[in-house]
Amino acid sequence: MDILKGLNNMQSLAVTTTEGPLLILAGAGSGKTRTIIHRIAYILDSGLARPYEILALTFTNKAAQEMKNRIESFGIDYISDMWMGTFHSICVRILRRYAEYVGFDRSFTIYDDKDSEKVIKDCLAEMNISDKVISAKLAASVISKAKNSYISPEEFAQENNDTITSRHLSGIYKLYSEKLRESNAMDFDDLLFHTVTLLRTSDEALLYYQRRFKYVLVDEYQDTNPLQYEMTALIASGWGNLCVCGDDDQSIYSWRGADIQNILNFEEDFPNAQVIRLEQNYRSTRTILDAANSVIANNKGRKGKNLWTENERGEKIKIIATNRDLEEAEVIAAEILALRNSGISEDDIAVLYRMNSQSRNIEEGLSRKGINYRLVGSMSFYSRAEIKDIMAYLRLSLNPKDTVAFARAITKPKRGVGNVAMEKLSEYAQFKGYSIVEASLDAGNIPGIRSAVKESLIEFGKLISDIKILSDGKAPLPEIIKKAIYESGYMKMLKEENKEDSEGRIDNLGELLNAAEDFYKLSDDTTLEGYLEYVSLRDELESKEEEGTRTPQVSLMTLHHAKGLEYNYVFMAGMENGIFPLTRAQSEQSEMEEERRLCYVGMTRARKRLFMTYAKTRRVYNEFRNQEPSVYIDEIPEEYVNFVNLVKDERVIPNRPQRDYTAGGRLYAAKKEYTEPVRPAKPSSSKIKSGSFAPGDKVQHPAFGIGTVVSSVVQGGDSIITIAFAGVGIKKIMQGSVELKRM
């Protein structure tokens, strides 16, 4: 088997350089994932290590699974023994083995952001701190930053005691940590924090993993934070074979703790390290690549590389100046419609923007043209309220100390258990040394609680115990979840409340059972514990689309969500100073450089064609503002640009200085390549039947999905239909502008 077949010279060198510290500096579209996969396969095929002696750390479960599948395609056995996964999932595996060493039981629960926020709100209430003084979100952000910098509550208190606010935050951090321990729970930051603590304090644990893992690999190394850096360095220091792969020019996550210095200082941190640059790009045209190189070259904080490609020259980047943000959306829709009419699928097209708030105009512009789209990065399936409610029952069955899960489950559906009863239940549990579930089962002996509430608590405790019995008895996962859905009364509650979104929520619970069935059939670990870990750790962007029912869709997303993706045709909207780069970034060089890296990421998502758009006037916080083209546009050499100026009037807003409308300071020929966007002609009144859609009718909109008609009136020769869409809200739609299907 020729592992090196199909690799270029630098990729082959990265694959075969197996010993010692190695930095693979991989440019956008340079075959980074392919190189890592072949490297692991080469190590295994050469007998340098067995699968269980390799630790490979990624940032998404999707990436880890793809790598495993492709390594298996080489015919190498026992790949399932290899530890390959996200930092958080690997930390969970380590902590399940050594949880007692850091003061937890092995059955600890993993709290998500909302769970953590609930605990912090409890801390604020207990400390009599108003949410207006310190919000739960602010406290959560401060605590998260402290943990990712490996600062304990005690250390934080010592460093932050000069103001009332800082002392409050110190107290919240301390109390929050205590409550997590009492509930035998960890948040996502704790998974890393406690793993590093374990490796720092336990020679037994550290030596075990140092001896076990001969080779440690880290993907997307530019995105690692201080804790991930230390965890990696500690484990790899045994054999010294640490390979990291990443691109300093794509480091765009400093706001969530990523430290670009980890990759910039690699050779200093690991003496005798080798650096191999992957600079051949297989994705983009030469024009797109040369333009992106020109932009990123303006950054000073980078290691330096120059991407090149054997691909064709390709078309110039089309930069379009428009009068208004609304016109910008119309222009994008018109360009996409032209692409679609030329035979290009919507699946090959993406619209990228700096801020989520930019999507509204774009969505409406696409809807008016009847163009299907999907929002990437919107609320994931497992984040929906009804799913989290059922998960609370399941979590509680495994960890009866989980007070957050208890507080959620006991009120869904309502059982008459109010704040007073909850306080008395908690006090009784602490007095007896019981878990919250054990206290519920013994509610008959708790004074001060009404008899009806006692019965509800006992019944609830029995349900949780029954779920636990099913789980311990290795019952099929769907059977366990079905018990939680039906015997809790949750399904009955949804059917009886008959709200606008009840039907959709019921369908979601049905899909939850489908998902559990798939997991039960396909996963190696079919236990309830394994499923809850999977749900807690799965990536937000991962979603399963219904086979056979999906239509092509344009992808709409922020530039941050576009990282790791690629499309044939890419639009970058809102290329204006104050939007991209953000206003707050323009006074700090480090932030401007990160914004520039984000621009570089967006440009290099495009394979064939790249479009950039901006508006002369934009409405921000309901105020119209004159805008200027982004400084990053000025950094693209003119030879790579086809500029289209649709700006009619330089005096869009009075009493403001006039300026020649240029792309980054260069005045281009104001040559229009197409006329004003054509709006759909209104159908004649003879084609419209008054009341063709009646209140209560179910209809399907190509973008908003299924909704219920609220009203329908004839106006100006067309029908204006008001429709309520679940998860979207109420929309007024002109019937002649879009196809509505009666359900």
Side-chain angles (χ1 to χ4, degrees):
M1 175 174 49
D2 187 1
I3 301 291
L4 303 181
K5 184 178 180 180
L7 301 179
N8 64 37
N9 291 338
M10 298 310 291
Q11 289 173 335
S12 295
L13 182 60
V15 166
T16 56
T17 304
T18 59
E19 306 308 300
L22 172 66
L23 166 60
I24 303 175
L25 203 59
S30 62
K32 168 180 66 70
T33 302
R34 176 184 176 87
T35 302
I36 295 174
I37 290 166
H38 282 252
R39 177 183 171 84
I40 294 173
Y42 180 83
I43 289 170
L44 295 173
D45 188 58
S46 302
L48 297 172
R50 288 162 287 191
Y52 63 81
E53 294 175 319
I54 292 178
L55 171 63
L57 295 156
T58 68
F59 276 84
T60 67
N61 291 320
K62 183 178 181 180
Q65 191 57 53
E66 178 187 351
M67 288 184 188
K68 275 190 177 181
N69 292 341
R70 288 171 64 180
I71 293 169
E72 280 184 320
S73 69
F74 285 101
I76 299 172
D77 296 327
Y78 307 110
I79 294 301
S80 60
D81 292 341
M82 182 170 56
W83 279 35
M84 176 178 279
T86 64
F87 276 93
H88 290 105
S89 64
I90 296 299
C91 286
V92 170
R93 294 185 71 169
I94 292 172
L95 291 171
R96 290 293 181 204
R97 180 185 180 103
Y98 288 105
E100 293 86 354
Y101 287 56
V102 289
F104 289 84
D105 294 339
R106 294 181 63 187
S107 61
F108 63 84
T109 298
I110 303 168
Y111 279 3
D112 64 13
D113 291 342
K114 289 188 177 180
D115 296 328
S116 298
E117 192 173 324
K118 169 67 170 60
V119 177
I120 290 174
K121 286 180 178 178
D122 291 344
C123 293
L124 292 172
E126 193 170 319
M127 296 173 66
N128 294 317
I129 299 173
S130 169
D131 191 68
K132 294 179 181 179
V133 176
I134 297 177
S135 69
K137 287 188 176 180
L138 171 63
S141 176
V142 170
I143 292 170
S144 177
K145 287 179 180 177
K147 288 182 178 180
N148 281 298
S149 298
Y150 200 66
I151 299 173
S152 68
E154 294 74 24
E155 291 168 332
F156 187 87
Q158 291 175 5
E159 298 172 8
N160 298 273
N161 58 8
D162 53 339
T163 66
I164 293 176
T165 299
S166 63
R167 288 194 289 273
H168 278 331
L169 287 168
S170 297
I172 295 166
Y173 185 11
K174 182 175 182 293
L175 183 58
Y176 172 70
S177 298
E178 291 171 354
K179 285 184 175 292
L180 289 186
R181 285 192 179 275
E182 288 172 5
S183 296
N184 191 34
M186 298 184 195
D187 61 26
F188 275 82
D189 296 321
D190 282 330
L191 297 176
L192 285 163
F193 188 98
H194 292 311
T195 298
V196 170
T197 298
L198 171 70
L199 297 175
R200 276 189 173 192
T201 58
S202 171
D203 290 342
E204 176 190 338
L206 178 60
L207 287 172
Y208 174 79
Y209 291 112
Q210 284 181 339
R211 289 169 178 168
R212 171 170 181 158
F213 296 121
K214 290 184 177 180
Y215 293 91
V216 179
L217 299 95
V218 184
D219 190 16
E220 304 289 3
Y221 192 65
Q222 77 280 350
D223 294 335
T224 54
N225 63 28
L227 284 178
Q228 291 161 334
Y229 164 84
E230 183 162 0
M231 171 186 165
T232 302
L234 284 169
I235 294 176
S237 62
W239 291 86
N241 298 323
L242 172 63
C243 171
V244 303
C245 188
D247 183 3
D248 55 318
D249 289 335
Q250 297 187 68
S251 179
I252 59 174
Y253 295 117
S254 65
W255 49 274
R256 69 182 190 194
D259 187 352
I260 192 174
Q261 297 304 317
N262 290 348
I263 192 167
L264 293 180
N265 297 337
F266 186 79
E267 296 104 307
E268 296 177 24
D269 295 338
F270 300 93
N272 303 317
Q274 299 183 65
V275 179
I276 296 174
R277 286 172 166 79
L278 304 185
E279 297 176 307
Q280 182 175 358
N281 177 282
Y282 294 92
R283 178 188 300 157
S284 305
T285 65
R286 273 181 284 165
T287 294
I288 293 171
L289 208 56
D290 290 345
N293 283 337
S294 298
V295 172
I296 200 62
N298 290 280
N299 271 7
K300 295 180 179 178
R302 62 191 296 256
K303 298 187 79 67
K305 61 183 178 304
N306 194 48
L307 296 188
W308 60 277
T309 183
E310 293 179 348
N311 294 341
E312 63 182 1
R313 170 60 60 187
E315 296 190 46
K316 291 184 177 183
I317 297 170
K318 193 169 188 177
I319 299 179
I320 309 173
T322 65
N323 291 281
R324 280 279 314 277
D325 46 2
L326 293 177
E327 183 187 8
E328 179 191 39
E330 293 286 349
V331 165
I332 290 172
E335 289 281 359
I336 291 175
L337 191 61
L339 290 173
R340 188 177 73 179
N341 291 342
S342 68
I344 292 164
S345 169
E346 287 98 327
D347 285 338
D348 291 332
I349 304 169
V351 182
L352 314 181
Y353 36 83
R354 181 63 182 85
M355 302 181 296
N356 275 309
S357 58
Q358 292 173 251
S359 74
R360 185 181 69 84
N361 286 336
I362 297 169
E363 289 181 62
E364 292 181 359
L366 296 181
S367 295
R368 284 191 289 271
K369 290 285 192 294
I371 298 170
N372 295 315
Y373 67 88
R374 67 186 183 110
L375 286 167
V376 177
S378 57
M379 182 176 289
S380 68
F381 178 78
Y382 286 100
S383 296
R384 294 169 183 169
E386 58 273 13
I387 305 301
K388 289 179 70 67
D389 291 341
I390 298 304
M391 289 297 165
Y393 284 89
L394 305 177
R395 281 169 37 186
L396 194 57
S397 71
L398 293 184
N399 182 6
K401 296 178 182 178
D402 190 340
T403 54
V404 171
F406 184 94
R408 184 172 192 127
I410 196 69
T411 58
K412 303 289 178 65
K414 294 180 179 178
R415 294 177 171 85
V417 182
N419 292 335
V420 174
M422 283 294 293
E423 288 177 10
K424 293 188 178 295
L425 184 68
S426 297
E427 290 170 0
Y428 185 75
Q430 289 180 350
F431 175 74
K432 286 284 192 178
Y434 288 168
S435 70
I436 197 75
V437 173
E438 289 171 330
S440 297
L441 289 167
D442 200 29
N445 294 320
I446 303 176
I449 299 180
R450 292 185 294 110
S451 297
V453 176
K454 289 181 179 181
E455 291 177 8
S456 293
L457 287 170
I458 293 170
E459 183 179 344
F460 178 82
K462 287 180 178 177
L463 171 62
I464 300 301
S465 299
D466 289 343
I467 295 173
K468 172 68 171 171
I469 291 170
L470 276 180
S471 175
D472 289 345
K474 309 299 181 187
L477 188 58
E479 183 181 330
I480 299 171
I481 295 178
K482 188 177 290 186
K483 187 176 186 71
I485 292 173
Y486 288 92
E487 295 194 21
S488 65
Y490 198 93
M491 182 63 77
K492 181 182 178 183
M493 174 192 75
L494 290 180
K495 290 180 177 178
E496 289 179 350
E497 66 183 11
N498 195 29
K499 291 183 179 178
E500 186 69 38
D501 63 344
S502 294
E503 184 176 347
R505 296 177 69 189
I506 290 170
D507 290 341
N508 287 339
L509 292 180
E511 187 58 30
L512 176 62
L513 292 174
N514 293 341
E517 182 70 28
D518 291 341
F519 182 88
Y520 186 72
K521 289 179 178 177
L522 302 175
S523 176
D524 294 329
D525 181 3
T526 60
T527 64
L528 178 59
E529 182 180 22
Y531 183 60
L532 292 182
E533 282 187 7
Y534 162 75
V535 171
S536 295
L537 298 170
R538 75 189 300 275
D539 307 312
E540 182 139 348
L541 289 182
E542 290 178 4
S543 60
K544 182 179 179 183
E545 294 171 336
E546 295 181 57
E547 296 179 6
T549 63
R550 192 183 166 284
T551 56
Q553 298 170 317
V554 174
S555 296
L556 308 185
M557 71 193 83
T558 65
L559 283 147
H560 281 98
H561 277 117
K563 176 77 162 52
L565 304 177
E566 56 185 62
Y567 297 87
N568 284 340
Y569 302 87
V570 170
F571 291 78
M572 294 175 65
M575 295 295 297
E576 303 148 28
N577 289 334
I579 300 293
F580 190 31
L582 296 173
T583 300
R584 67 171 183 264
Q586 296 181 55
S587 60
E588 291 287 338
Q589 180 179 328
S590 61
E591 292 191 30
M592 279 295 288
E593 292 206 352
E594 176 149 337
E595 291 283 290
R596 187 177 284 109
R597 291 194 292 269
L598 190 57
C599 182
Y600 174 81
V601 166
M603 295 175 74
T604 55
R605 299 310 94 194
R607 296 191 192 102
K608 295 183 177 180
R609 290 195 67 187
L610 175 63
F611 301 77
M612 290 179 168
T613 63
Y614 60 90
K616 165 87 170 161
T617 309
R618 186 173 297 275
R619 189 167 63 177
V620 182
Y621 293 105
N622 211 32
E623 291 183 359
F624 290 96
R625 301 182 184 176
N626 277 343
Q627 301 290 100
E628 293 189 357
S630 169
V631 295
Y632 303 137
I633 286 181
D634 192 39
E635 295 171 354
I636 303 174
E638 186 173 346
E639 62 188 285
Y640 304 131
V641 171
N642 172 24
F643 181 71
V644 180
N645 189 355
L646 300 183
V647 178
K648 290 181 177 179
D649 184 3
E650 292 298 323
R651 294 167 296 174
V652 177
I653 298 179
N655 304 320
R656 296 291 295 273
Q658 295 186 33
R659 66 186 288 270
D660 288 334
Y661 211 61
T662 64
R666 295 187 306 271
L667 185 62
Y668 289 83
K671 178 183 177 181
K672 285 193 178 183
E673 294 200 346
Y674 56 90
T675 59
E676 287 291 306
V678 179
R679 303 183 187 281
K682 293 181 180 179
S684 65
S685 58
S686 61
K687 293 183 180 180
I688 300 174
K689 298 177 181 178
S690 178
S692 58
F693 288 103
D697 284 353
K698 296 281 186 182
V699 296
Q700 184 170 30
H701 187 279
F704 302 137
I706 297 175
T708 302
V709 175
V710 177
S711 65
S712 176
V713 296
V714 175
Q715 181 177 316
D718 203 342
S719 283
I720 305 299
I721 306 171
T722 303
I723 307 173
F725 295 97
V728 177
I730 295 176
K731 302 285 185 183
K732 289 183 180 292
I733 295 169
M734 185 177 290
Q735 184 177 345
S737 67
V738 68
E739 182 181 1
L740 294 173
K741 294 182 180 179
R742 192 187 302 275
M743 302 301 291

